[in-house]
Amino acid sequence: MILAELALTSPYYLVLSALLFATGATGLLIRRNPLVMFMCVELMLNGVNISFVAFGADLNDVGGQISVFFVLVVAAVEVVVGLALVVAINRRRSDATADDVSLLRG
Amino acid sequence: MIAQLDSTVARPEITWDGLLPILTLGVGALLLVLFRSLMKQLPKAAADQAVPVIGGVTVIAMWVVGGFAGTDVPLAGLRDGLGDPVFFLGLLIMVGLGGWFAQYLRLSVDAALTVMIGLTSLAATWGVWTDRYEIDGAFGLVGDQLGADGFSLVITGVIASAIVLVALLLDDYLEREGMAGADMYVLMLFSGAGGAVMASANDLIVLFLALETLSIAVYVMAAMHMRRSESQEAGLKYFVLGAFSSAFLLYGIALTYGAVGSTNLIVIADFLEQNRLVEDGLLMAGMAMLLVGLGFKVAAAPFHAWTPDVYQGAPTPVVAFMASAVKAAGFAALVRVFVTTFADHADDWQPAVYALAILTLVVGSFMAIVQRDAKRMLAYSSISHAGFILVGVQAASNEGVSSVLFYAVAYTFLVIGSFGVLSIVSGEGDRGTSLDHLDGLSTRRPALALALTVFLLAQAGVPLTSGFVAKFAVIGAAVEARSYWLAIAAMVTAVVSAFLYLRIILSMYLGQAEDDAPTIRVPRAAGLAIIVALVITVGFGLVPGELDDITRDAIPVLIAAG
């Protein structure tokens, strides 16, 4: 059994990443405008990206930075679909916020 | 600090024939969208003639693609087969039957093509299973980014079957709601391809991409009904919560990567087997985040809040797809990441899954009782089924994995059947989904009432149905793993939810239908889907041995080629 220890040279980046992620998550939960909610999702994903780059640099491994490209693509795709949904809803009812979208409840 | 890319990296081994089940779904979706964008409006006469041709081509496609997938020498089977006159004649008869059957079902061209793609993928899965997996064991695909083991093959088969059955349900639904077109089928095929990749992913980033392919298509499918506000609302809610959970999953991947140094499941498993982390905080946080992200996908409490709303709002056949294929893929990922990869840290994640399972079982079965809408009620019941599957995951053993697989297969057909009946009964615009609309169904449509009765009894876990065997298997695995309280909780909540299924059955047989209730028309294609689901549900209940053997052979392994 080998004892492995990964020394991180850049805890500050990780703290920044965690803060961004937490900001995004909080924003998603408390903001009511769907567009702002999408921005919060972006914030969460980009917070994770910082982690990927920081870990990649620490581990001297290019995989972390490559992952960022995949995440960027996914984030772009998510926004496209999300905006399409908002447009579809706004066509029927303008100025909808997340509170107005409440036909479904139990 | 960026590591230099090694210029002598070996070209990855693709293993095309093993990839065929997944490839059929993805390429099929691309071809379908290409075909439909080239000819938007088929002339009526051409469409009528195309359907039997597609039916015949289906038989040939299944045979050729299945043969390719199954043998290492492409077309060898094809040549030998054609030389044999008896075989040739048999094939001709099968082609004719396929064409006649497609005509008989009155399928639309899009539905017929989707069924063809689904069946072909199923044949390819069968070929890979019998000719490669059963002989040589698991093997890596695409430079070990994917792995074809028994587990991923069975889940791929489940997803392909779900696609076929849901396409049969969708055909008439789209016609009825004035949404005819290929878009829904294309999205479903893409989503299915994502699910199949997810079930075979050997890398966390691949798993994330596959999960997004699976989910993004389903967000759109949920919102596809443009004239129902509920549908768009369901789509938006699913999207926001889905994106939220994907971000958690991704953060989990990043933290695991930071702790272990790779996103490859094989490397992670090896690393964790050979090393003990001094500071395992990062890994623990990563595992927790991964569990949250996947918990959202499989609708485990407390991450289940989106399920009832989305299931109620989305088009009913789409719900059938979400509850079957999407859930199966989610559990496949859960098993692959936790049971197989983090096997050496089972002590760390088992308590969390234990708590999730109990909470999911309790929330699912108790909340289902107070619902007034059949779709909402089935949504909560699907949450409680997720709890049962988590009981199998928690066992973290081979028995547990087999029982998870058995449950996923059985539940897929159960839930497609249930939502299929509901889709037919609820009528135009999905209006009649309240439980009152099921009153007196036995006098209006005795066959439908009987089918729904069997599905509900199977969901309750009554013996002689596949639901009983599945529940028995997961509880057995929990007892084997000495999780006695979890097993007891599962049995108690099974009784609680049985009450609710029996209530529906009673109202179907004893309730009075309103006099002005609209007549229920059962389309042939949807009827076939329900019959298939019914036969499989009862069949696996009476003779579970066959499926049991398959799930016992289908233990996930992380294998690197060469």
Side-chain angles (χ1 to χ4, degrees):
Chain A
M1 187 74 63
I2 308 161
L3 292 177
E5 189 167 14
L6 297 169
L8 286 171
T9 55
S10 53
Y12 294 113
Y13 295 114
L14 297 183
V15 172
L16 172 67
S17 150
L19 278 179
L20 276 179
F21 187 86
T23 313
T26 319
L28 190 86
L29 295 174
I30 61 172
R31 293 303 292 264
R32 296 271 66 108
N33 186 327
L35 292 179
V36 179
M37 292 164 92
F38 294 163
M39 287 182 217
C40 291
V41 170
E42 291 291 299
L43 209 55
M44 292 169 82
L45 291 179
N46 283 319
V48 178
N49 277 345
I50 293 180
S51 278
F52 266 122
V53 176
F55 283 133
D58 271 339
L59 299 161
N60 204 11
D61 174 41
V62 80
Q65 285 153 49
I66 292 173
S67 306
V68 171
F69 286 101
F70 289 115
V71 177
L72 285 180
V73 172
V74 166
V77 173
E78 272 189 347
V79 166
V80 168
V81 171
L83 287 182
L85 285 174
V86 170
V87 169
I89 289 182
N90 273 16
R91 259 195 208 153
R92 303 171 58 89
R93 291 196 312 254
S94 53
D95 69 273
T97 73
D99 286 329
D100 301 330
V101 196
S102 58
L103 288 167
L104 301 167
R105 53 180 63 191
Chain B
M1 287 291 279
I2 299 172
Q4 291 296 311
L5 275 176
D6 190 353
S7 56
T8 57
V9 171
R11 185 180 286 270
E13 186 96 23
I14 305 265
T15 326
W16 289 103
D17 46 349
L19 198 58
L20 267 176
I22 300 171
L23 217 55
T24 313
L25 294 177
V27 174
L30 282 175
L31 289 179
L32 186 57
V33 80
L34 193 70
F35 162 72
R36 289 304 288 191
S37 50
L38 289 179
M39 0 187 156
K40 282 237 162 50
Q41 210 70 57
L42 284 177
K44 181 86 177 76
D48 283 348
Q49 277 171 1
V51 173
V53 175
I54 296 170
V57 172
T58 306
V59 174
I60 298 178
M62 284 172 74
W63 178 51
V64 172
V65 176
F68 260 113
T71 52
D72 277 336
V73 194
L75 286 179
L78 194 72
R79 253 194 337 263
D80 297 348
L82 285 179
D84 185 353
V86 178
F87 185 87
F88 187 63
L89 202 66
L91 186 72
L92 270 186
I93 293 173
M94 290 298 286
V95 168
L97 274 179
W100 172 79
F101 202 56
Q103 176 84 333
Y104 173 77
L105 291 177
R106 302 203 192 109
L107 289 176
S108 66
V109 175
D110 301 313
L113 285 170
T114 312
V115 170
M116 172 172 119
I117 295 165
L119 285 176
T120 310
S121 169
L122 205 54
T125 315
W126 181 252
V128 177
W129 173 278
T130 50
D131 277 14
R132 289 208 54 168
Y133 176 68
E134 293 236 294
I135 296 167
D136 303 332
F139 54 100
L141 303 169
V142 205
D144 293 334
Q145 294 298 303
L146 300 179
D149 51 25
F151 186 77
S152 67
L153 286 173
V154 172
I155 295 285
T156 308
V158 165
I159 291 172
S161 326
I163 285 176
V164 172
L165 294 181
V166 175
L168 291 175
L169 293 178
L170 269 175
D171 182 36
D172 184 73
Y173 180 88
L174 296 182
E175 191 69 38
R176 185 178 85 193
E177 307 291 332
M179 297 156 63
D183 2 18
M184 193 74 110
Y185 300 108
V186 172
L187 288 169
M188 183 167 71
L189 287 168
F190 274 130
S191 170
V197 173
M198 200 169 149
S200 17
N202 264 354
D203 192 293
L204 287 171
I205 292 293
V206 175
L207 188 123
F208 173 71
L209 290 176
L211 179 105
E212 289 295 314
T213 317
L214 169 94
S215 324
I216 288 177
V218 178
Y219 303 149
V220 183
M221 283 168 78
M224 277 287 271
H225 202 311
M226 294 303 280
R227 284 178 292 106
R228 282 180 72 230
S229 306
E230 292 96 331
S231 170
Q232 280 153 23
E233 184 181 324
L236 188 70
K237 280 183 174 169
Y238 195 14
F239 171 79
V240 170
L241 283 171
F244 189 60
S245 72
S246 311
F248 271 93
L249 183 84
L250 191 67
Y251 204 22
I253 295 174
L255 293 177
T256 311
Y257 170 68
V260 179
S262 171
T263 53
N264 193 299
L265 296 183
I266 304 168
V267 178
I268 295 176
D270 279 352
F271 182 89
L272 292 179
E273 198 185 325
Q274 287 161 9
N275 304 286
R276 176 106 358 229
L277 292 172
V278 180
E279 296 272 343
D280 60 356
L282 269 182
L283 183 68
M284 292 302 124
M287 278 180 3
M289 292 283 202
L290 283 170
L291 192 59
V292 172
L294 291 173
F296 261 107
K297 277 292 154 221
V298 300
F303 317 116
H304 67 288
W306 57 273
T307 319
D309 285 357
V310 173
Y311 279 28
Q312 189 189 353
T316 316
V318 174
V319 180
F321 184 73
M322 288 197 286
S324 55
V326 175
K327 201 162 261 205
F331 274 109
L334 202 61
V335 167
R336 224 176 161 73
V337 173
F338 281 90
V339 181
T340 311
T341 310
F342 293 140
D344 288 298
H345 280 261
D347 292 343
D348 295 319
W349 59 260
Q350 264 177 320
V353 177
Y354 193 109
L356 277 188
I358 288 204
L359 199 58
T360 310
L361 283 167
V362 170
V363 167
S365 49
F366 280 92
M367 290 295 287
I369 295 177
V370 296
Q371 302 304 320
R372 293 299 308 152
D373 182 280
K375 272 165 93 181
R376 235 185 142 74
M377 191 215 84
L378 282 180
Y380 277 108
S381 112
S382 98
I383 295 173
S384 93
H385 285 293
F388 276 103
I389 305 184
L390 281 176
V391 171
V393 174
Q394 194 271 342
S397 60
N398 284 351
E399 280 79 26
V401 174
S402 311
S403 68
V404 165
L405 207 50
F406 194 104
Y407 210 115
V409 176
Y411 182 62
T412 294
F413 294 102
L414 275 181
V415 80
I416 290 180
S418 312
F419 279 110
V421 174
L422 219 53
S423 165
I424 294 175
V425 173
S426 57
E428 206 192 326
D430 276 342
R431 272 192 293 266
T433 58
S434 135
L435 284 179
D436 305 332
H437 284 86
L438 292 172
D439 277 353
L441 186 66
S442 65
T443 51
R444 293 163 73 201
R445 276 284 175 182
L448 272 187
L450 184 67
L452 189 54
T453 305
V454 173
F455 291 133
L456 290 177
L457 286 178
Q459 292 208 28
V462 169
L464 302 185
T465 60
S466 61
F468 170 74
V469 189
K471 280 197 165 64
F472 191 81
V474 286
I475 292 174
V479 170
E480 193 100 345
R482 298 178 183 279
S483 309
Y484 299 118
W485 285 108
L486 191 56
I488 291 171
M491 284 186 263
V492 170
T493 51
V495 174
V496 172
S497 36
F499 163 74
L500 138 113
Y501 301 122
L502 290 177
R503 201 183 69 179
I504 302 182
I505 294 170
L506 276 184
S507 79
M508 280 196 302
Y509 280 94
L510 301 178
Q512 286 295 317
E514 289 172 31
D515 294 334
D516 58 346
T519 50
I520 299 169
R521 199 176 52 83
V522 183
R524 283 178 184 169
L528 175 72
I530 292 170
I531 291 173
V532 170
L534 199 63
V535 167
I536 290 176
T537 300
V538 178
F540 283 155
L542 292 175
V543 232
E546 191 69 22
L547 181 58
D548 199 46
D549 289 346
I550 291 179
T551 55
R552 277 179 201 288
D553 280 348
I555 302 303
V557 285
L558 297 169
I559 194 148

